[in-house]
Amino acid sequence: MEIISSQVSSVVMVLITGAIWGAFLDVYRIKRRRRKYSHIQTAIGDLLFWVFSFALVSLGLLISNWMEIRLYVPLALLSGFLLYSLLGRPVISPLAQGAFSLIDLLSLPGRKIQEWVRIFTKTLTPINKIYSSKVTKETKTKD
């Protein structure tokens, strides 16, 4: 009986891993759609997503069954992902979108300050060039 309970707990853990992976994929998908990224940023983001996905699935498999790949493992991963898609996505997706909106809202003052600094710097650059040229002329005449 102990062997069956061990296998059932292993399958449940792989199901949970598949659901967590589905949530991770969903949050990454939402993040990518919120803003236009360059091709390099997209490639780096995709690479990091797959590295973290591999680490997540590997850790889940290591915890659940010492990374033994059996027939039920891909089936349970897929089932966990589908379970998340049916039950978790309607809950997690709006929460993730709200969290990203809140982050955007909280970072707005910082972006405005950055914009003001950029404008201030652009207006000071011509003044700085004029001043620095006067200073260099004055130092040359003193020598």
Side-chain angles (χ1 to χ4, degrees), residues 54-102:
F54 177 76
L56 172 75
V57 171
S58 296
L59 182 65
L61 290 178
L62 183 66
I63 290 171
S64 67
N65 63 359
W66 296 101
M67 274 200 183
E68 291 181 7
I69 305 296
R70 297 185 179 185
L71 179 62
Y72 72 87
V73 170
L75 295 175
L77 275 173
L78 182 62
S79 297
F81 180 80
L82 292 175
L83 191 67
Y84 165 78
S85 296
L86 293 174
L87 302 176
R89 183 172 284 157
V91 174
I92 299 294
S93 231
L95 287 176
Q97 289 175 353
F100 286 132
S101 295
L102 182 64

Side-chain angles (χ1 to χ4, degrees), residues 1 14 21 23 31 34 36 48 50 54 57 59 62-65 69 72-73 87 106 112 114 125 127 131 137 142:
M1 193 65 168
V14 175
W21 181 64
K31 177 66 178 153
R34 291 190 61 81
K36 181 80 173 146
L48 289 175
W50 285 110
F54 177 76
V57 171
L59 182 65
L62 183 66
I63 290 171
S64 67
N65 63 359
I69 305 296
Y72 72 87
V73 170
L87 302 176
L106 292 175
K112 287 296 182 185
Q114 185 181 18
T125 302
I127 295 170
Y131 178 73
K137 286 180 185 177
K142 287 182 183 179

